Amino acid sequence: MAWYHGITTAFNALARRGREERQMDDEMQFHLEMEARRLVKENGLSEEDARYAAQRAFGGVERHKDSVRDERGTSFVEDLGQDARFAVRTLRRRPGFTAVAALTLALGIGASTTLFGVVKAVLLTPLPYDRPEGIAVLWSSWKGFDQTWLSYDEYEGWKADIPAFTNVGIYSDGAVNLTENGESERLRAGYIDRDILPILGVKLSLGRGFTAAEDIPNGPRVVILSRDVWARRYGADPSVVGKSIQVNGQAAQVVGVMPAGFRLPLDFGANGPTLIWLPLGADAESNGAIPGPQFQKGGGSHGFYGLARLRAGATVAQANKQLADRVAQLKKEGVYPEEQQFRAFAVGVEDQVTGRLKPVLLVVFAAVGFVLLIACANVAGLLLVRGEQRRREMALRVALGAGGQRLSRQMLTETVVLAGLGGALGVAFAAIGVWLVRHNAPAALPRVADAHLDPWVLGFALGTAALAALIAGLLPALQATSVAPQTELRDGGRTATAGHARLRWRQTLVAAEVALAVVLVVGAGLMIRSVVNLFAIDAGIRTDGVLTMRLSTPAAWYPDSVRVTAFHDELRRQVAALPGVKAVGLVRILPLATEMGDWGLQVEGYTPPPNQGTPGDWQIVTPGYFEAMGLRLVQGRFFDDRDVMTAPPAMIVNRRFVELYLQGRQALGAHVRIGGQDAKDPPYTIVGIVDNVKHNGLTREVKAQFYAPQPQFATSPGNTSRNMTLVVRGSGKPEQLINPVRGVIKGLDPRLPISDVRTMNEVVQQAIAAPRFAMQLLGLFGVLALVLSAIGIFGIVSQVVASRTQEFGIRAALGATPRNLLMLSLGSGVRQAGAGLVVGVAVALALTRTMTTMLQGVTPTDPLTFGAVVGVTAVVAIGASLIPARRAAKTDLAKVMTG
């Protein structure tokens, strides 16, 4: 009987399987027929075309059967091509979905590609030197100066005593007037010794570098031109090498032309590139140094930039260790007093150029990565919703023989096609973004203006699109493998609700989007507060309405200080007479534009502590400068027409000067001697006290500072200030004064070129360029993240409402009010947003600590910023949930039942 029972069981199983297959075939035919009817009704197709379209929509019964039978005979490439064509047709039939998904990916890909273009230009592109990793920039540091120049003594000492260096060179910067065919141009100049170009490993395009015979005091007048000047002023004529040109009104022979793109290490900033080079012509005698291995006390006068070439195998760290050991020895010898806190150090040239901007770019690049993840999560959510609508199609495919691997591949192929479209749009967005960054980034940010789309950046866009396709398509592809044909076809239909597990995945994606958006918006909020705090710092000047421009009076045309002063006086008189001008003056160094050095002083009644001096930052001005710049007078008077060259020397000091050196004594009338003054010359008398000015930076410590009148400083201690900045305060927009002021200068002396024409507001903007750049980008990405998160929340709540339509109808029938249904629907979006907020705040508390060095006046865990972000995100989440929730509140049971 056992064998009989076994046979009966087998036959029953076969019969049951046959009945199930027949039932499934009937169900498939039923669904195909229903789909065909829908196409006839909604699209007006004929019955024959509708049946064909229904079969194609569900994969095609015969085609699927044939593909299953012949699968072993088709290649992977053929299958992939078939999947791609089907994906294109599928996406084309739903242009709205395709456009939203592709645009979302394009925003993420475009933003990340734009930032990669900037990062590549700033951090990844090699500097225009031979083996830049072997070049170091040399600096000194002491109390009150964190990073400053070298002295000639230190140049000779480090060159001879530091084994890590094979060569050391020095240079300084300035400006010259280039005159050709009656047209003058002000050019930024570099005064370099003959070792600078070999240290940098620069090979000139034409000609040669400077020789030892030229690099001496009062040596031959020779110059090297930049490629830009050579092409622009001399038509790229090779014969210009060896010819004589007019520099500062004197003849100078051109001996070479620099290669394109060459810049000195300190040219990557707001001041722009050096355009002409002259021999430094320095020696120990002319620089007050002690020849040989000895050092004068304090190291001597500091005024040079230093460069060094590292010995093969040596590192910057080793060089710094050797410098520290040598300085320690010099301190023991009494050269550098301990109280001076002197330090010598080297910085790798790449760190020197990009070190300040590197943390900013890395933070922003991480932020744009978050935007890309949010975009991918959004598209994944859209694809999950789309997959929910296609589960009946997937079920029929499985029933017709398609395996889970084939379905996953089809879903991934659709995502790849979407990502390809998004990548193409993203490249277009990136081209626009790179152009905007290049033309709007502050000049103080090194090499940002060099960013552009090149093959490497386009390759990054391609890789980003592939990564986005994988991230966005992986979950929907996995979802496709979990289709159960019997369940989906038996229970399927237009009103089927999504499974709880599938809904949880979409809700998790939305929560992740919100969390990432919170991190981004917190970073943006911190940077906004930081920049606001920077603008709130009282710099001691009033910048609104102020125009500035740089000009010089060369010795060839103005041989003495009398002529220089006469020109400045007449210039002030004529500019002051222009309509709309309220005040005008000239200054040696513009505040917040160039760092100021100090000068040794002797203050009457003040004795400095042992081994310390009486330094004071020095500023040379003309009458009218204080009024034009808006400095506040604390006591006494400003300079005026009384302070001429032959009058008793007058001085104005800042409040910090009074606090340090006068210490409660009467400041007005006190006498001060400037180092280098002849003992027979009368001392300067303090005639006024002004408020402190943040000259060297908004966040830098204010030091003692004195102001001397330009004509008097020219006679005692005897320096004629030829390079000055004109400062004009107007009653309207300062840009309106540019042409009238230019006209005055040209009328006085058409040979004098004008450079660095800027408003003081532009100068302040450049002074905070890096944090403002980070604020703008983080703010943009934060807004983008909030928008994408809002779209995600809107989508998930809309899907929940659609899937619960019958439930809401029944609840309405049982007495639920529209308010009840509204709150029930809102709960879905609010819960996901709440979960994302909690996670996002926790992650932000951990990650924002990396921004500590970028912030000013605000902590990385600032409670006000975090509270504001939580509030804004909550409002966005509720707003995104409200529209579909209101639709749920209007649910009509009669329409639900008849629909």
Side-chain angles (χ1 to χ4, degrees):
M1 295 297 293
W3 61 269
Y4 176 79
H5 179 71
I7 292 175
T8 304
T9 301
F11 272 102
N12 289 337
L14 290 172
R16 185 168 60 252
R17 181 175 179 181
R19 287 194 301 272
E20 290 176 351
E21 289 181 350
R22 285 192 299 275
Q23 180 182 4
M24 185 167 293
D25 285 339
D26 292 339
E27 291 177 346
M28 285 187 291
Q29 291 300 327
F30 170 76
H31 286 294
L32 285 170
E33 186 65 27
M34 293 299 293
E35 181 69 11
R37 290 182 182 180
R38 185 185 69 80
L39 291 172
V40 170
K41 180 179 179 181
E42 295 182 4
N43 296 339
L45 298 179
S46 66
E47 292 186 4
E48 181 179 358
D49 290 341
R51 289 194 183 93
Y52 175 76
Q55 289 180 352
R56 292 294 296 269
F58 288 114
V61 176
E62 295 301 324
R63 183 168 59 83
H64 271 285
K65 289 181 178 179
D66 292 341
S67 66
V68 172
R69 286 196 301 267
D70 299 333
E71 190 168 5
R72 63 183 180 276
T74 60
S75 68
F76 174 77
V77 175
E78 291 173 339
D79 288 342
L80 195 60
Q82 187 181 46
D83 289 341
R85 288 191 296 272
F86 184 76
V88 170
R89 289 196 300 270
T90 301
L91 295 174
R92 188 187 300 163
R93 285 198 299 268
R94 290 166 177 81
F97 165 82
T98 304
V100 171
L103 185 60
T104 301
L105 286 176
L107 290 172
I109 295 170
S112 58
T113 303
T114 298
L115 257 294
F116 178 77
V118 175
V119 168
K120 178 182 176 296
V122 176
L123 303 181
L124 303 181
T125 302
L127 293 171
Y129 313 130
D130 178 41
R131 295 183 294 111
E133 68 279 1
I135 302 173
V137 183
L138 305 182
W139 296 101
S140 298
S141 171
W142 60 83
K143 188 176 181 180
F145 288 88
D146 298 330
Q147 180 176 289
T148 190
W149 303 277
L150 271 68
S151 69
Y152 196 89
D153 273 351
E154 289 157 3
Y155 153 67
E156 288 193 319
W158 309 156
K159 189 172 185 177
D161 300 338
I162 305 301
F165 299 149
T166 61
N167 199 3
V168 175
I170 54 175
Y171 70 96
S172 64
D173 58 2
V176 298
N177 296 338
L178 175 65
T179 304
E180 190 71 25
N181 298 324
E183 294 185 7
S184 293
E185 180 181 2
R186 188 74 172 161
L187 300 179
R188 189 161 187 255
Y191 298 85
I192 60 177
D193 76 16
R194 62 184 180 277
D195 290 323
I196 288 294
L197 297 185
I199 287 172
L200 295 174
V202 177
K203 296 181 179 179
L204 273 66
S205 295
L206 293 174
R208 59 171 176 82
F210 300 133
T211 65
E214 294 164 343
D215 186 24
I216 58 174
N218 301 315
R221 294 186 60 80
V222 292
V223 298
I224 298 173
L225 300 177
S226 71
R227 193 175 185 89
D228 171 73
V229 171
W230 174 60
R232 179 166 47 82
R233 297 297 299 265
Y234 301 99
D237 182 5
S239 66
V240 73
V241 176
K243 291 186 176 180
S244 179
I245 62 175
Q246 290 290 313
V247 177
N248 280 343
Q250 296 181 334
Q253 184 185 25
V254 178
V255 298
V257 176
M258 286 291 188
F262 172 75
R263 294 189 179 194
L264 291 168
L266 299 181
D267 284 355
F268 297 94
N271 292 328
T274 301
L275 296 175
I276 190 169
W277 293 264
L278 300 88
L280 180 64
D283 63 7
E285 181 179 356
S286 62
N287 287 279
I290 300 175
Q294 299 179 352
F295 278 72
Q296 61 179 309
K297 193 173 183 63
S301 177
H302 292 75
F304 299 105
Y305 300 109
L307 294 177
R309 169 64 69 172
L310 296 174
R311 196 174 301 277
T315 65
V316 172
Q318 291 172 343
N320 279 323
K321 176 65 168 58
Q322 294 170 9
L323 285 169
D325 293 342
R326 182 69 178 115
V327 168
Q329 181 181 352
L330 291 171
K331 287 182 178 179
K332 290 181 181 179
E333 296 171 1
V335 173
Y336 299 111
E338 288 292 343
E339 295 81 1
Q340 188 180 0
Q341 301 176 16
F342 180 84
R343 185 170 67 96
F345 62 98
V347 178
V349 69
E350 292 180 338
D351 287 338
Q352 180 66 47
V353 172
T354 63
R356 185 168 54 91
L357 191 56
K358 186 175 182 178
V360 174
L361 280 182
L362 293 180
V363 166
V364 176
F365 199 48
V368 81
F370 279 13
V371 171
L372 181 61
L373 287 176
I374 293 173
C376 291
N378 225 333
V379 173
L382 290 173
L383 289 172
L384 285 175
V385 172
R386 175 85 180 96
E388 197 66 46
Q389 298 169 350
R390 298 175 64 185
R391 291 187 72 82
R392 182 175 54 167
E393 173 191 342
M394 295 295 111
L396 284 170
R397 288 173 177 271
V398 172
L400 294 171
Q405 183 179 2
R406 182 62 182 269
L407 292 180
S408 297
R409 192 177 69 195
Q410 178 63 57
M411 296 298 292
L412 279 174
T413 302
E414 291 185 16
T415 310
V416 168
V417 172
L418 266 179
L421 182 57
L425 288 173
V427 168
F429 289 164
I432 298 172
V434 168
W435 186 90
L436 289 173
V437 169
R438 190 170 62 243
H439 287 81
N440 292 284
L445 302 182
R447 302 210 287 178
V448 172
D450 298 333
H452 64 282
L453 292 184
D454 59 18
W456 286 101
V457 178
L458 293 176
F460 176 85
L462 179 62
T464 304
L467 179 63
L470 180 62
I471 295 174
L474 187 59
L475 191 58
L478 292 176
Q479 183 192 50
T481 64
S482 64
V483 174
Q486 294 181 356
T487 304
E488 296 295 338
L489 294 177
R490 181 179 299 112
D491 300 330
R494 291 185 181 278
T495 58
T497 59
H500 290 296
R502 299 192 296 273
L503 187 59
R504 277 198 300 272
W505 270 115
R506 296 199 294 276
Q507 292 171 335
T508 302
L509 285 175
V510 171
E513 289 183 51
V514 173
L516 292 171
V518 167
V519 176
L520 268 181
V521 179
V522 165
L526 291 173
M527 287 308 306
I528 290 171
R529 290 207 61 198
S530 186
V531 171
V532 168
N533 290 338
L534 285 172
F535 276 117
I537 293 175
D538 183 4
I541 55 179
R542 291 188 295 113
T543 61
D544 291 339
V546 177
L547 174 70
T548 72
M549 57 182 67
R550 192 82 172 159
L551 68 157
S552 176
T553 49
W557 302 331
Y558 297 85
D560 54 48
S561 57
V562 175
R563 289 179 174 83
V564 172
T565 300
F567 172 79
H568 288 160
D569 289 345
E570 183 62 20
L571 176 63
R572 289 191 297 109
R573 187 187 68 79
Q574 292 194 24
V575 172
L578 292 174
V581 172
K582 300 172 68 175
V584 58
L586 292 101
V587 62
R588 181 180 73 95
I589 297 179
L590 198 62
L592 298 175
T594 305
E595 187 166 353
M596 183 188 301
D598 59 17
W599 201 302
L601 304 173
Q602 297 176 18
V603 180
E604 182 182 39
Y606 174 76
T607 302
N611 296 320
Q612 293 189 36
T614 310
D617 284 4
W618 60 292
Q619 187 69 289
I620 309 303
V621 302
T622 69
Y625 166 75
F626 297 102
E627 296 89 336
M629 193 61 80
L631 272 74
R632 292 181 289 271
L633 182 65
V634 176
Q635 194 176 359
R637 66 174 178 87
F638 290 143
F639 295 141
D640 54 33
D641 292 337
R642 288 173 289 179
D643 302 303
V644 295
M645 189 176 297
T646 56
M651 178 179 287
I652 294 176
V653 299
N654 68 347
R655 285 194 297 108
R656 184 61 177 159
F657 187 104
V658 174
E659 294 167 359
L660 287 177
Y661 302 143
L662 296 173
Q663 300 174 342
R665 292 179 287 115
Q666 176 62 36
L668 297 182
H671 293 157
V672 179
R673 283 191 174 275
I674 300 174
Q677 272 190 280
D678 193 305
K680 297 180 296 184
D681 292 339
Y684 282 81
T685 301
I686 297 177
V687 298
I689 304 170
V690 294
D691 211 347
N692 296 329
V693 173
K694 296 271 190 178
H695 183 100
N696 291 333
L698 290 174
T699 61
R700 299 278 292 275
E701 177 187 359
V702 174
K703 294 182 288 186
Q705 182 177 2
F706 71 89
Y707 301 82
Q710 183 268 336
Q712 295 180 352
F713 192 81
T715 59
S716 180
N719 289 336
T720 300
S721 298
R722 300 183 178 277
N723 300 315
M724 301 286 281
T725 296
L726 182 69
V727 181
V728 184
R729 175 174 291 280
S731 56
K733 293 183 178 180
E735 294 85 356
Q736 296 174 346
L737 293 172
I738 294 177
N739 288 333
V741 174
R742 281 182 183 272
V744 169
I745 296 173
K746 291 300 181 184
L748 287 172
D749 191 340
R751 300 169 299 177
L752 296 184
I754 303 166
S755 61
D756 295 336
V757 180
R758 295 180 290 178
T759 68
M760 272 308 296
N761 282 332
E762 291 173 339
V763 174
V764 174
Q765 293 283 349
Q766 288 186 353
I768 60 170
R772 188 167 63 91
F773 181 68
M775 178 201 71
Q776 290 171 337
L777 290 181
L778 285 176
L780 174 63
F781 297 147
V783 170
L784 184 58
L786 278 178
V787 170
L788 291 176
S789 299
I791 293 173
I793 294 172
F794 175 85
I796 188 64
V797 175
S798 296
Q799 178 65 15
V800 169
V801 169
S803 66
R804 299 176 67 182
T805 303
Q806 285 185 327
E807 175 192 342
F808 290 152
I810 294 172
R811 287 178 178 271
L814 294 175
T817 65
R819 178 182 175 82
N820 298 141
L821 298 179
L822 177 69
M823 299 307 295
L824 187 65
S825 302
L826 270 178
S828 177
V830 171
R831 279 194 299 273
Q832 310 326 310
L837 279 171
V838 172
V839 175
V841 168
V843 174
L845 286 170
L847 293 183
T848 52
R849 299 180 189 278
T850 61
M851 300 174 61
T852 301
T853 58
M854 299 167 54
L855 302 179
Q856 170 65 33
V858 61
T859 64
T861 57
D862 177 54
L864 180 60
T865 301
F866 275 80
V869 169
V870 170
V872 169
T873 308
V875 169
V876 170
I878 293 173
S881 305
L882 196 58
I883 296 175
R886 292 181 64 183
R887 188 165 63 243
K890 299 177 182 178
T891 301
D892 187 342
L893 176 61
K895 291 184 179 180
V896 171
M897 299 306 295
T898 57

